[in-house]
Amino acid sequence: MHLHVLELGVLFAVLAGLAGAVAPVSARLAKVLVTAFVVMSSVFVGSEALQVWVAGSARVLGALGLGSLLNSYMVLDALSAPFALLLSTVFAASTLFAALYTRLDARLSEERFWLWFPAVYPASLLLLLADNMIVMTLLLDLTTLFVVLTAVSYAERRVRRAAITYVVFVGAASTGVVAGYIALGASAGGLFRLSEIASRYSGGPVEAAALTIVALGFVVKAGTPPFHYWLPRLHGEAPPPLSAVLSGFSTSIGVYGIARLLQAIPTPSVLPLVLLVLGGAGVVYGSLYAATCLDTKRLAAYSTVASMSYALMTMGTAAHLSHIGEEIAAALAFSAALIYSVGHGLAKAALFMALGVAALLRGRSVEGLKGLLRLSPLLGVLIMLSSLQLAGLPPSAIYISKTLMSTVGLSSSELLYDFSMGGLATVLSAVYVLR
């Protein structure tokens, strides 16, 4: 059996997940095996994802037989490729970081961490590749389970409370997504691949309601207000390598899910308005809370609330432009949202890893960061660079994304709200970054 690059990447991802099972016997051996498999998978998946994203092509997973096993086409296309690139990069960096960090944090159970953390990767990767929406949602539930089991590597009450809150919110969102997809699939004659649902979508009131419910489920997963309550609690209390994956990639699943819907199905006219209003409110709310936080990890988590809200607002702009027939501007806005998600994910993962080490050295207080540059120049520079990237300074990916959105906003008087909120997001992010 000849395996192609993508299939090798998925195979090594699955092996990384399975290698965690060694942890109860030997955490050190599990750490070595998981790190090796994740890095190899990252190289294969990342290179293939970058090629697919640039070329706008697609790769179908065939030789591993996962499509038949999961009753789903497993496809890497131009939409899933940037998120696969983000996942492979963030998880590889977080795993390498975890190999060092877990030796330093006395609060952390290495055996429990290395048993469950590696399983987050293959579940997340297969989620991105799945074309069957029910399979995608089940993989999302599996990812949630592995995240929770990894989070409680800290055997503390506040961590358990944060994990329970996460399960309640994301579980409710997943239930809504499944119910919506079942309704859509039933109207499509019992078909659950998104391409098949799209081909039979008529835009009736039941289908429109189901589609809106699915979209709201992904809004919850993105951590956008008023459904954000779980995000600062879990991201703020989880082990730093897991926080890096959660803020760096996992919240982007919400953006990916909505992007997948917008790309495939003519959405009801109310959905762009919902995304614009919730996204705009989330930008302001998340930024203001980040600007007043005294805890570094909570600050970074509320920054994620603001950033994911901005990404969803950008998706709403793309949907609105498509509704009014401005397809070129809609494509630019859509691309801006994808670029923003990737840029934010890379910077936020780096920030959470750096803040995790800083917490061991100086505590989690914002005041504790003062003087860090003298104590550890490398750590101080990493925090500074990742923060500046999040603020959107050139030549960062976030700067490119916001420049695209400025171009789109100036081209249409109907996008004054979007353009204004984008400018406000930049100002507010600069406020809490420069603290």
Side-chain angles (χ1 to χ4, degrees), residues 67-88:
S68 301
L69 178 64
L70 298 175
N71 190 29
S72 167
Y73 291 126
M74 307 301 289
V75 181
L76 180 71
D77 59 16
L79 177 54
S80 57
F83 293 94
L85 176 63
L86 175 62
L87 170 64
S88 60

mmCIF file with all atom_site columns, all heavy atoms in Angstrom, residues 67-88:
data_model
loop_
_atom_site.group_PDB
_atom_site.id
_atom_site.type_symbol
_atom_site.label_atom_id
_atom_site.label_alt_id
_atom_site.label_comp_id
_atom_site.label_asym_id
_atom_site.label_entity_id
_atom_site.label_seq_id
_atom_site.pdbx_PDB_ins_code
_atom_site.Cartn_x
_atom_site.Cartn_y
_atom_site.Cartn_z
_atom_site.occupancy
_atom_site.B_iso_or_equiv
_atom_site.pdbx_formal_charge
_atom_site.auth_seq_id
_atom_site.auth_comp_id
_atom_site.auth_asym_id
_atom_site.auth_atom_id
_atom_site.pdbx_PDB_model_num
ATOM 1   N N   . GLY A 1 67 ? -12.062 6.941  5.265  1.00 0.00 ? 67 GLY A N   1
ATOM 2   C CA  . GLY A 1 67 ? -13.349 7.383  4.725  1.00 0.00 ? 67 GLY A CA  1
ATOM 3   C C   . GLY A 1 67 ? -14.420 6.330  4.906  1.00 0.00 ? 67 GLY A C   1
ATOM 4   O O   . GLY A 1 67 ? -15.524 6.610  5.361  1.00 0.00 ? 67 GLY A O   1
ATOM 5   N N   . SER A 1 68 ? -14.094 5.080  4.565  1.00 0.00 ? 68 SER A N   1
ATOM 6   C CA  . SER A 1 68 ? -15.064 3.993  4.732  1.00 0.00 ? 68 SER A CA  1
ATOM 7   C C   . SER A 1 68 ? -15.331 3.716  6.205  1.00 0.00 ? 68 SER A C   1
ATOM 8   O O   . SER A 1 68 ? -16.465 3.489  6.621  1.00 0.00 ? 68 SER A O   1
ATOM 9   C CB  . SER A 1 68 ? -14.529 2.719  4.062  1.00 0.00 ? 68 SER A CB  1
ATOM 10  O OG  . SER A 1 68 ? -14.301 2.939  2.682  1.00 0.00 ? 68 SER A OG  1
ATOM 11  N N   . LEU A 1 69 ? -14.271 3.787  7.026  1.00 0.00 ? 69 LEU A N   1
ATOM 12  C CA  . LEU A 1 69 ? -14.421 3.508  8.441  1.00 0.00 ? 69 LEU A CA  1
ATOM 13  C C   . LEU A 1 69 ? -15.358 4.500  9.111  1.00 0.00 ? 69 LEU A C   1
ATOM 14  O O   . LEU A 1 69 ? -16.193 4.142  9.932  1.00 0.00 ? 69 LEU A O   1
ATOM 15  C CB  . LEU A 1 69 ? -13.045 3.544  9.116  1.00 0.00 ? 69 LEU A CB  1
ATOM 16  C CG  . LEU A 1 69 ? -13.007 3.317  10.637 1.00 0.00 ? 69 LEU A CG  1
ATOM 17  C CD1 . LEU A 1 69 ? -13.483 1.916  10.975 1.00 0.00 ? 69 LEU A CD1 1
ATOM 18  C CD2 . LEU A 1 69 ? -11.607 3.553  11.174 1.00 0.00 ? 69 LEU A CD2 1
ATOM 19  N N   . LEU A 1 70 ? -15.231 5.780  8.740  1.00 0.00 ? 70 LEU A N   1
ATOM 20  C CA  . LEU A 1 70 ? -16.023 6.832  9.368  1.00 0.00 ? 70 LEU A CA  1
ATOM 21  C C   . LEU A 1 70 ? -17.256 7.205  8.552  1.00 0.00 ? 70 LEU A C   1
ATOM 22  O O   . LEU A 1 70 ? -17.963 8.129  8.896  1.00 0.00 ? 70 LEU A O   1
ATOM 23  C CB  . LEU A 1 70 ? -15.151 8.077  9.574  1.00 0.00 ? 70 LEU A CB  1
ATOM 24  C CG  . LEU A 1 70 ? -13.948 7.910  10.501 1.00 0.00 ? 70 LEU A CG  1
ATOM 25  C CD1 . LEU A 1 70 ? -13.111 9.177  10.514 1.00 0.00 ? 70 LEU A CD1 1
ATOM 26  C CD2 . LEU A 1 70 ? -14.386 7.564  11.909 1.00 0.00 ? 70 LEU A CD2 1
ATOM 27  N N   . ASN A 1 71 ? -17.534 6.457  7.470  1.00 0.00 ? 71 ASN A N   1
ATOM 28  C CA  . ASN A 1 71 ? -18.677 6.767  6.605  1.00 0.00 ? 71 ASN A CA  1
ATOM 29  C C   . ASN A 1 71 ? -18.636 8.218  6.159  1.00 0.00 ? 71 ASN A C   1
ATOM 30  O O   . ASN A 1 71 ? -19.626 8.949  6.236  1.00 0.00 ? 71 ASN A O   1
ATOM 31  C CB  . ASN A 1 71 ? -20.001 6.468  7.328  1.00 0.00 ? 71 ASN A CB  1
ATOM 32  C CG  . ASN A 1 71 ? -21.192 6.546  6.382  1.00 0.00 ? 71 ASN A CG  1
ATOM 33  O OD1 . ASN A 1 71 ? -21.051 6.288  5.181  1.00 0.00 ? 71 ASN A OD1 1
ATOM 34  N ND2 . ASN A 1 71 ? -22.351 6.914  6.910  1.00 0.00 ? 71 ASN A ND2 1
ATOM 35  N N   . SER A 1 72 ? -17.481 8.650  5.726  1.00 0.00 ? 72 SER A N   1
ATOM 36  C CA  . SER A 1 72 ? -17.301 10.057 5.390  1.00 0.00 ? 72 SER A CA  1
ATOM 37  C C   . SER A 1 72 ? -16.151 10.189 4.407  1.00 0.00 ? 72 SER A C   1
ATOM 38  O O   . SER A 1 72 ? -15.170 9.466  4.488  1.00 0.00 ? 72 SER A O   1
ATOM 39  C CB  . SER A 1 72 ? -16.985 10.866 6.657  1.00 0.00 ? 72 SER A CB  1
ATOM 40  O OG  . SER A 1 72 ? -16.531 12.158 6.338  1.00 0.00 ? 72 SER A OG  1
ATOM 41  N N   . TYR A 1 73 ? -16.283 11.134 3.476  1.00 0.00 ? 73 TYR A N   1
ATOM 42  C CA  . TYR A 1 73 ? -15.130 11.505 2.680  1.00 0.00 ? 73 TYR A CA  1
ATOM 43  C C   . TYR A 1 73 ? -14.163 12.245 3.590  1.00 0.00 ? 73 TYR A C   1
ATOM 44  O O   . TYR A 1 73 ? -14.550 13.088 4.397  1.00 0.00 ? 73 TYR A O   1
ATOM 45  C CB  . TYR A 1 73 ? -15.542 12.420 1.522  1.00 0.00 ? 73 TYR A CB  1
ATOM 46  C CG  . TYR A 1 73 ? -16.360 11.742 0.457  1.00 0.00 ? 73 TYR A CG  1
ATOM 47  C CD1 . TYR A 1 73 ? -17.593 12.263 0.078  1.00 0.00 ? 73 TYR A CD1 1
ATOM 48  C CD2 . TYR A 1 73 ? -15.908 10.591 -0.165 1.00 0.00 ? 73 TYR A CD2 1
ATOM 49  C CE1 . TYR A 1 73 ? -18.356 11.658 -0.903 1.00 0.00 ? 73 TYR A CE1 1
ATOM 50  C CE2 . TYR A 1 73 ? -16.660 9.965  -1.146 1.00 0.00 ? 73 TYR A CE2 1
ATOM 51  C CZ  . TYR A 1 73 ? -17.878 10.499 -1.505 1.00 0.00 ? 73 TYR A CZ  1
ATOM 52  O OH  . TYR A 1 73 ? -18.634 9.882  -2.469 1.00 0.00 ? 73 TYR A OH  1
ATOM 53  N N   . MET A 1 74 ? -12.886 11.937 3.481  1.00 0.00 ? 74 MET A N   1
ATOM 54  C CA  . MET A 1 74 ? -11.855 12.646 4.242  1.00 0.00 ? 74 MET A CA  1
ATOM 55  C C   . MET A 1 74 ? -11.064 13.460 3.236  1.00 0.00 ? 74 MET A C   1
ATOM 56  O O   . MET A 1 74 ? -10.287 12.920 2.445  1.00 0.00 ? 74 MET A O   1
ATOM 57  C CB  . MET A 1 74 ? -10.966 11.657 4.996  1.00 0.00 ? 74 MET A CB  1
ATOM 58  C CG  . MET A 1 74 ? -11.728 10.662 5.886  1.00 0.00 ? 74 MET A CG  1
ATOM 59  S SD  . MET A 1 74 ? -12.732 11.448 7.154  1.00 0.00 ? 74 MET A SD  1
ATOM 60  C CE  . MET A 1 74 ? -11.487 12.050 8.254  1.00 0.00 ? 74 MET A CE  1
ATOM 61  N N   . VAL A 1 75 ? -11.306 14.760 3.241  1.00 0.00 ? 75 VAL A N   1
ATOM 62  C CA  . VAL A 1 75 ? -10.780 15.631 2.201  1.00 0.00 ? 75 VAL A CA  1
ATOM 63  C C   . VAL A 1 75 ? -10.066 16.832 2.820  1.00 0.00 ? 75 VAL A C   1
ATOM 64  O O   . VAL A 1 75 ? -10.582 17.452 3.759  1.00 0.00 ? 75 VAL A O   1
ATOM 65  C CB  . VAL A 1 75 ? -11.916 16.148 1.284  1.00 0.00 ? 75 VAL A CB  1
ATOM 66  C CG1 . VAL A 1 75 ? -11.351 17.048 0.184  1.00 0.00 ? 75 VAL A CG1 1
ATOM 67  C CG2 . VAL A 1 75 ? -12.687 14.987 0.681  1.00 0.00 ? 75 VAL A CG2 1
ATOM 68  N N   . LEU A 1 76 ? -8.892  17.136 2.303  1.00 0.00 ? 76 LEU A N   1
ATOM 69  C CA  . LEU A 1 76 ? -8.200  18.379 2.630  1.00 0.00 ? 76 LEU A CA  1
ATOM 70  C C   . LEU A 1 76 ? -8.388  19.311 1.446  1.00 0.00 ? 76 LEU A C   1
ATOM 71  O O   . LEU A 1 76 ? -7.897  19.046 0.347  1.00 0.00 ? 76 LEU A O   1
ATOM 72  C CB  . LEU A 1 76 ? -6.714  18.118 2.877  1.00 0.00 ? 76 LEU A CB  1
ATOM 73  C CG  . LEU A 1 76 ? -5.873  19.343 3.234  1.00 0.00 ? 76 LEU A CG  1
ATOM 74  C CD1 . LEU A 1 76 ? -6.225  19.836 4.642  1.00 0.00 ? 76 LEU A CD1 1
ATOM 75  C CD2 . LEU A 1 76 ? -4.374  19.018 3.161  1.00 0.00 ? 76 LEU A CD2 1
ATOM 76  N N   . ASP A 1 77 ? -9.135  20.407 1.642  1.00 0.00 ? 77 ASP A N   1
ATOM 77  C CA  . ASP A 1 77 ? -9.374  21.335 0.542  1.00 0.00 ? 77 ASP A CA  1
ATOM 78  C C   . ASP A 1 77 ? -8.893  22.732 0.915  1.00 0.00 ? 77 ASP A C   1
ATOM 79  O O   . ASP A 1 77 ? -8.272  22.932 1.965  1.00 0.00 ? 77 ASP A O   1
ATOM 80  C CB  . ASP A 1 77 ? -10.871 21.354 0.161  1.00 0.00 ? 77 ASP A CB  1
ATOM 81  C CG  . ASP A 1 77 ? -11.777 21.751 1.315  1.00 0.00 ? 77 ASP A CG  1
ATOM 82  O OD1 . ASP A 1 77 ? -11.264 22.305 2.320  1.00 0.00 ? 77 ASP A OD1 1
ATOM 83  O OD2 . ASP A 1 77 ? -13.000 21.512 1.229  1.00 0.00 ? 77 ASP A OD2 1
ATOM 84  N N   . ALA A 1 78 ? -9.181  23.713 0.060  1.00 0.00 ? 78 ALA A N   1
ATOM 85  C CA  . ALA A 1 78 ? -8.652  25.058 0.258  1.00 0.00 ? 78 ALA A CA  1
ATOM 86  C C   . ALA A 1 78 ? -9.207  25.732 1.506  1.00 0.00 ? 78 ALA A C   1
ATOM 87  O O   . ALA A 1 78 ? -8.618  26.709 1.993  1.00 0.00 ? 78 ALA A O   1
ATOM 88  C CB  . ALA A 1 78 ? -8.954  25.919 -0.970 1.00 0.00 ? 78 ALA A CB  1
ATOM 89  N N   . LEU A 1 79 ? -10.328 25.238 2.048  1.00 0.00 ? 79 LEU A N   1
ATOM 90  C CA  . LEU A 1 79 ? -10.875 25.803 3.278  1.00 0.00 ? 79 LEU A CA  1
ATOM 91  C C   . LEU A 1 79 ? -10.292 25.138 4.514  1.00 0.00 ? 79 LEU A C   1
ATOM 92  O O   . LEU A 1 79 ? -9.895  25.818 5.473  1.00 0.00 ? 79 LEU A O   1
ATOM 93  C CB  . LEU A 1 79 ? -12.407 25.681 3.291  1.00 0.00 ? 79 LEU A CB  1
ATOM 94  C CG  . LEU A 1 79 ? -13.102 26.174 4.565  1.00 0.00 ? 79 LEU A CG  1
ATOM 95  C CD1 . LEU A 1 79 ? -12.696 27.616 4.882  1.00 0.00 ? 79 LEU A CD1 1
ATOM 96  C CD2 . LEU A 1 79 ? -14.615 26.071 4.417  1.00 0.00 ? 79 LEU A CD2 1
ATOM 97  N N   . SER A 1 80 ? -10.222 23.824 4.508  1.00 0.00 ? 80 SER A N   1
ATOM 98  C CA  . SER A 1 80 ? -9.668  23.134 5.687  1.00 0.00 ? 80 SER A CA  1
ATOM 99  C C   . SER A 1 80 ? -8.147  23.243 5.751  1.00 0.00 ? 80 SER A C   1
ATOM 100 O O   . SER A 1 80 ? -7.563  23.102 6.836  1.00 0.00 ? 80 SER A O   1
ATOM 101 C CB  . SER A 1 80 ? -10.085 21.667 5.684  1.00 0.00 ? 80 SER A CB  1
ATOM 102 O OG  . SER A 1 80 ? -9.682  21.014 4.496  1.00 0.00 ? 80 SER A OG  1
ATOM 103 N N   . ALA A 1 81 ? -7.481  23.530 4.622  1.00 0.00 ? 81 ALA A N   1
ATOM 104 C CA  . ALA A 1 81 ? -6.015  23.559 4.588  1.00 0.00 ? 81 ALA A CA  1
ATOM 105 C C   . ALA A 1 81 ? -5.403  24.585 5.553  1.00 0.00 ? 81 ALA A C   1
ATOM 106 O O   . ALA A 1 81 ? -4.478  24.245 6.297  1.00 0.00 ? 81 ALA A O   1
ATOM 107 C CB  . ALA A 1 81 ? -5.528  23.807 3.162  1.00 0.00 ? 81 ALA A CB  1
ATOM 108 N N   . PRO A 1 82 ? -5.869  25.864 5.579  1.00 0.00 ? 82 PRO A N   1
ATOM 109 C CA  . PRO A 1 82 ? -5.242  26.796 6.526  1.00 0.00 ? 82 PRO A CA  1
ATOM 110 C C   . PRO A 1 82 ? -5.421  26.383 7.981  1.00 0.00 ? 82 PRO A C   1
ATOM 111 O O   . PRO A 1 82 ? -4.524  26.595 8.808  1.00 0.00 ? 82 PRO A O   1
ATOM 112 C CB  . PRO A 1 82 ? -5.953  28.131 6.232  1.00 0.00 ? 82 PRO A CB  1
ATOM 113 C CG  . PRO A 1 82 ? -7.169  27.794 5.453  1.00 0.00 ? 82 PRO A CG  1
ATOM 114 C CD  . PRO A 1 82 ? -6.848  26.547 4.719  1.00 0.00 ? 82 PRO A CD  1
ATOM 115 N N   . PHE A 1 83 ? -6.552  25.766 8.306  1.00 0.00 ? 83 PHE A N   1
ATOM 116 C CA  . PHE A 1 83 ? -6.768  25.316 9.679  1.00 0.00 ? 83 PHE A CA  1
ATOM 117 C C   . PHE A 1 83 ? -5.925  24.083 9.991  1.00 0.00 ? 83 PHE A C   1
ATOM 118 O O   . PHE A 1 83 ? -5.458  23.918 11.125 1.00 0.00 ? 83 PHE A O   1
ATOM 119 C CB  . PHE A 1 83 ? -8.256  25.042 9.904  1.00 0.00 ? 83 PHE A CB  1
ATOM 120 C CG  . PHE A 1 83 ? -9.107  26.278 9.840  1.00 0.00 ? 83 PHE A CG  1
ATOM 121 C CD1 . PHE A 1 83 ? -9.733  26.649 8.654  1.00 0.00 ? 83 PHE A CD1 1
ATOM 122 C CD2 . PHE A 1 83 ? -9.249  27.090 10.949 1.00 0.00 ? 83 PHE A CD2 1
ATOM 123 C CE1 . PHE A 1 83 ? -10.500 27.797 8.588  1.00 0.00 ? 83 PHE A CE1 1
ATOM 124 C CE2 . PHE A 1 83 ? -10.023 28.248 10.892 1.00 0.00 ? 83 PHE A CE2 1
ATOM 125 C CZ  . PHE A 1 83 ? -10.649 28.604 9.703  1.00 0.00 ? 83 PHE A CZ  1
ATOM 126 N N   . ALA A 1 84 ? -5.717  23.212 8.993  1.00 0.00 ? 84 ALA A N   1
ATOM 127 C CA  . ALA A 1 84 ? -4.832  22.064 9.187  1.00 0.00 ? 84 ALA A CA  1
ATOM 128 C C   . ALA A 1 84 ? -3.389  22.522 9.367  1.00 0.00 ? 84 ALA A C   1
ATOM 129 O O   . ALA A 1 84 ? -2.643  21.959 10.186 1.00 0.00 ? 84 ALA A O   1
ATOM 130 C CB  . ALA A 1 84 ? -4.946  21.109 8.002  1.00 0.00 ? 84 ALA A CB  1
ATOM 131 N N   . LEU A 1 85 ? -2.998  23.538 8.611  1.00 0.00 ? 85 LEU A N   1
ATOM 132 C CA  . LEU A 1 85 ? -1.657  24.118 8.769  1.00 0.00 ? 85 LEU A CA  1
ATOM 133 C C   . LEU A 1 85 ? -1.499  24.706 10.166 1.00 0.00 ? 85 LEU A C   1
ATOM 134 O O   . LEU A 1 85 ? -0.471  24.503 10.831 1.00 0.00 ? 85 LEU A O   1
ATOM 135 C CB  . LEU A 1 85 ? -1.433  25.195 7.707  1.00 0.00 ? 85 LEU A CB  1
ATOM 136 C CG  . LEU A 1 85 ? -0.114  25.969 7.780  1.00 0.00 ? 85 LEU A CG  1
ATOM 137 C CD1 . LEU A 1 85 ? 1.068   25.034 7.572  1.00 0.00 ? 85 LEU A CD1 1
ATOM 138 C CD2 . LEU A 1 85 ? -0.108  27.089 6.729  1.00 0.00 ? 85 LEU A CD2 1
ATOM 139 N N   . LEU A 1 86 ? -2.528  25.417 10.619 1.00 0.00 ? 86 LEU A N   1
ATOM 140 C CA  . LEU A 1 86 ? -2.500  26.003 11.962 1.00 0.00 ? 86 LEU A CA  1
ATOM 141 C C   . LEU A 1 86 ? -2.422  24.920 13.029 1.00 0.00 ? 86 LEU A C   1
ATOM 142 O O   . LEU A 1 86 ? -1.603  25.000 13.956 1.00 0.00 ? 86 LEU A O   1
ATOM 143 C CB  . LEU A 1 86 ? -3.753  26.861 12.162 1.00 0.00 ? 86 LEU A CB  1
ATOM 144 C CG  . LEU A 1 86 ? -3.959  27.474 13.545 1.00 0.00 ? 86 LEU A CG  1
ATOM 145 C CD1 . LEU A 1 86 ? -2.817  28.428 13.888 1.00 0.00 ? 86 LEU A CD1 1
ATOM 146 C CD2 . LEU A 1 86 ? -5.301  28.200 13.612 1.00 0.00 ? 86 LEU A CD2 1
ATOM 147 N N   . LEU A 1 87 ? -3.264  23.901 12.914 1.00 0.00 ? 87 LEU A N   1
ATOM 148 C CA  . LEU A 1 87 ? -3.277  22.812 13.886 1.00 0.00 ? 87 LEU A CA  1
ATOM 149 C C   . LEU A 1 87 ? -1.929  22.114 13.961 1.00 0.00 ? 87 LEU A C   1
ATOM 150 O O   . LEU A 1 87 ? -1.383  21.900 15.059 1.00 0.00 ? 87 LEU A O   1
ATOM 151 C CB  . LEU A 1 87 ? -4.363  21.798 13.525 1.00 0.00 ? 87 LEU A CB  1
ATOM 152 C CG  . LEU A 1 87 ? -4.343  20.478 14.315 1.00 0.00 ? 87 LEU A CG  1
ATOM 153 C CD1 . LEU A 1 87 ? -4.606  20.720 15.793 1.00 0.00 ? 87 LEU A CD1 1
ATOM 154 C CD2 . LEU A 1 87 ? -5.353  19.488 13.734 1.00 0.00 ? 87 LEU A CD2 1
ATOM 155 N N   . SER A 1 88 ? -1.380  21.727 12.820 1.00 0.00 ? 88 SER A N   1
ATOM 156 C CA  . SER A 1 88 ? -0.125  20.968 12.822 1.00 0.00 ? 88 SER A CA  1
ATOM 157 C C   . SER A 1 88 ? 1.017   21.792 13.408 1.00 0.00 ? 88 SER A C   1
ATOM 158 O O   . SER A 1 88 ? 1.853   21.266 14.157 1.00 0.00 ? 88 SER A O   1
ATOM 159 C CB  . SER A 1 88 ? 0.219   20.511 11.395 1.00 0.00 ? 88 SER A CB  1
ATOM 160 O OG  . SER A 1 88 ? 0.384   21.611 10.519 1.00 0.00 ? 88 SER A OG  1
#
